[in-house]
Amino acid sequence: MPTASPHFFDLDPDSLAAHFDQWGLPRFRARQVMQWVYQHGVADPQAMTNLTQRDRDLLADRLRFLVGTPVRHERATDGTQKLLLDWHAQPDAKRQLTVLGQSAGGSAMQTECVMIPAESKASGKLRRTACISSQVGCPVGCHFCASGLGGLDANLTAGQIVEQVFQLQQIPGIERITNIVFMGMGEPLANFNQVVQAIRTLMADWAFNLAGRRITVSTVGLPAQIRRLADLDLPVTLAISLHAPNDDVRRKLIPWAAQVSVEQLVDAGRHYFQRTGREVTLEYILLRHVNDRPEHARELADVARRLRANINLIRYNEVAGLPFDRPTSEDVHAFQQVLRERGVNTHIRASRGRDIAAACGQLRHEHQAQT
């Protein structure tokens, strides 16, 4: 079987230059091509006008730039935009996936990425946050989430993770992405090596040049991988998707919680803070009459104080066919008040893109149901 052409977004300047050596291209072309893609947003070799026609033709033949094909683009009334990307629409794209249990030619090889605009309270500037996926589907299977309804189909490569950011920037009017959150489809720390490689590209001065504090990695809780991430000296923010203040409630919502206790997550979070100096964020989806009662808030406050964490409260976005409801605004604010009375830094995350199924996995779930 012939070897697939390399994917541009998997490469750094040195590895791209090494390919150019093999293809008979000058090494300095690698920097030029990097500048075209990352600085000018051009991923078509034929539009790279400071390259010779021979070099453009060779690049078009030997190097793949955009592997993912947008199959749906939705824009919400609040400015949130969402892309559904198909990773097998091109003949060679299936070789880019680490496929788990299903042929890459199947209809499930789609992931979502979202651009969420918000004005920074500190600077007044517009912040454009890209919420990106790390896997096709999800292995965790949280009972309230659309991402894992079909299980895990594949791990994305680092290049496919990075490409999502580029694809979002191609949407007219979005311009430069300013923040990244690994809160899309998949469990990032279950695809550890590829996610770390993608983070290094996102931070590189030859690529997106994002500061580590502008990148957040969200995990449902893999203590060993949290410690491993802490020891890499990557100054990114860690968010733990807790969603329950105790093991009994958490095990009813998250299958993986049967193997990982809240206390283990607290210990891993402490290690992360000690190694990086960055406060951990606890993500907490409020499900009506499941985990949104005052007694849950009091328990959650104890967890946050032991961990030295801030808390993001998230109103549940309903998923058709799942037996969970969105909490009332009164209950959400009452929950927040209990936390604040106990000295916990707490924010209610604004619900964005509800009119375009912006919650994780919703657009993919609806698209597949329709097609």
Side-chain angles (χ1 to χ4, degrees):
M1 179 180 294
T3 302
S5 301
H7 183 194
F8 171 83
F9 291 102
D10 273 319
L11 306 175
D12 60 21
D14 289 339
S15 57
L16 182 60
H19 283 294
F20 282 13
D21 276 342
Q22 295 174 6
W23 301 337
L25 289 172
R27 289 182 67 89
F28 70 85
R29 290 288 192 217
R31 285 284 178 182
Q32 291 178 314
V33 173
M34 288 281 174
Q35 289 171 356
W36 275 112
V37 176
Y38 288 114
Q39 306 306 318
H40 303 295
V42 174
D44 176 8
Q46 299 301 339
M48 298 178 184
T49 53
N50 59 350
L51 276 64
T52 67
Q53 188 60 55
R54 169 189 171 275
D55 291 352
R56 294 183 224 173
D57 292 341
L58 192 149
L59 281 179
D61 181 62
R62 300 286 182 89
L63 191 62
R64 289 175 303 154
F65 288 86
L66 300 182
V67 173
T69 301
V71 293
R72 286 276 293 273
H73 173 209
E74 303 283 350
R75 181 183 180 115
T77 53
D78 63 12
T80 299
Q81 300 197 54
K82 190 166 195 175
L83 286 180
L84 181 65
L85 297 176
D86 191 297
W87 296 106
H88 66 69
Q90 300 178 43
D92 290 333
K94 64 183 180 180
R95 298 191 183 97
Q96 290 290 346
L97 290 162
T98 304
V99 180
L100 305 174
Q102 181 172 340
S103 167
S107 62
M109 294 302 153
Q110 297 170 345
T111 60
E112 304 168 354
C113 53
V114 185
M115 190 286 297
I116 306 168
E119 185 176 306
S120 172
K121 293 180 181 179
S123 65
K125 295 180 179 179
L126 185 64
R127 184 173 64 245
R128 303 174 188 86
T129 299
C131 181
I132 58 178
S133 298
S134 55
Q135 296 179 305
V136 183
C138 184
V140 180
C142 297
H143 297 315
F144 52 82
C145 181
S147 290
L149 286 175
L152 176 65
D153 295 304
N155 285 323
L156 292 178
T157 65
Q160 289 165 326
I161 294 169
V162 173
E163 185 183 317
Q164 293 171 69
V165 181
F166 183 87
Q167 292 260 22
L168 286 171
Q169 288 190 167
Q170 294 294 99
I171 298 173
I174 285 186
E175 301 176 9
R176 301 291 292 182
I177 294 296
T178 63
N179 297 71
I180 306 288
V181 291
F182 284 83
M183 293 182 184
M185 297 175 64
E187 163 53 57
L189 297 189
N191 189 17
F192 189 90
N193 291 336
Q194 298 302 314
V195 166
V196 168
Q197 183 181 335
I199 291 172
R200 295 191 189 282
T201 298
L202 294 168
M203 293 177 60
D205 58 4
W206 47 263
F208 291 97
N209 198 27
L210 288 168
R213 61 185 173 81
R214 294 183 177 272
I215 300 174
T216 298
V217 176
S218 179
T219 175
V220 78
L222 297 173
Q225 302 294 61
I226 290 173
R227 293 172 183 274
R228 188 177 168 197
L229 182 65
D231 295 341
L232 287 179
D233 196 28
L234 288 174
V236 299
T237 298
L238 175 71
I240 298 176
S241 297
L242 196 65
H243 305 324
N246 59 61
D247 291 327
D248 288 342
V249 175
R250 200 164 192 267
R251 286 167 183 162
K252 292 175 183 176
L253 298 175
I254 304 171
W256 281 18
Q259 284 76 45
V260 179
S261 69
V262 171
E263 194 56 41
Q264 287 175 300
L265 292 179
V266 168
D267 288 341
R270 282 201 200 102
H271 177 80
Y272 193 87
F273 175 75
Q274 290 166 358
R275 289 303 303 265
T276 67
R278 298 195 61 77
E279 190 175 80
V280 174
T281 297
L282 297 180
E283 303 283 345
Y284 196 96
I285 288 181
L286 289 160
L287 306 163
R288 190 176 186 188
H289 295 161
V290 175
N291 65 352
D292 66 342
R293 302 294 86 197
E295 58 269 24
H296 297 134
R298 289 190 289 270
E299 285 186 89
L300 181 60
D302 291 338
V303 173
R305 288 185 300 198
R306 296 204 314 276
L307 178 55
R308 187 171 173 175
N310 65 84
I311 297 176
N312 274 344
L313 299 177
I314 307 163
R315 298 177 178 93
Y316 180 61
N317 280 338
E318 304 92 329
V319 178
L322 298 186
F324 297 98
D325 296 318
R326 187 176 173 86
T328 66
S329 293
E330 292 80 4
D331 285 345
V332 172
H333 286 97
F335 196 97
Q336 181 189 41
Q337 185 60 29
V338 172
L339 293 170
R340 287 184 168 176
E341 288 172 353
R342 284 158 174 75
V344 179
N345 184 19
T346 309
H347 303 278
I348 299 172
R349 188 188 297 171
S351 295
R352 306 299 300 272
R354 279 175 56 78
D355 52 335
I356 59 165
C360 297
Q362 280 188 305
L363 184 60
R364 175 180 182 253
H365 177 58
E366 291 182 6
H367 181 76
Q368 290 178 357
Q370 293 167 5
T371 58

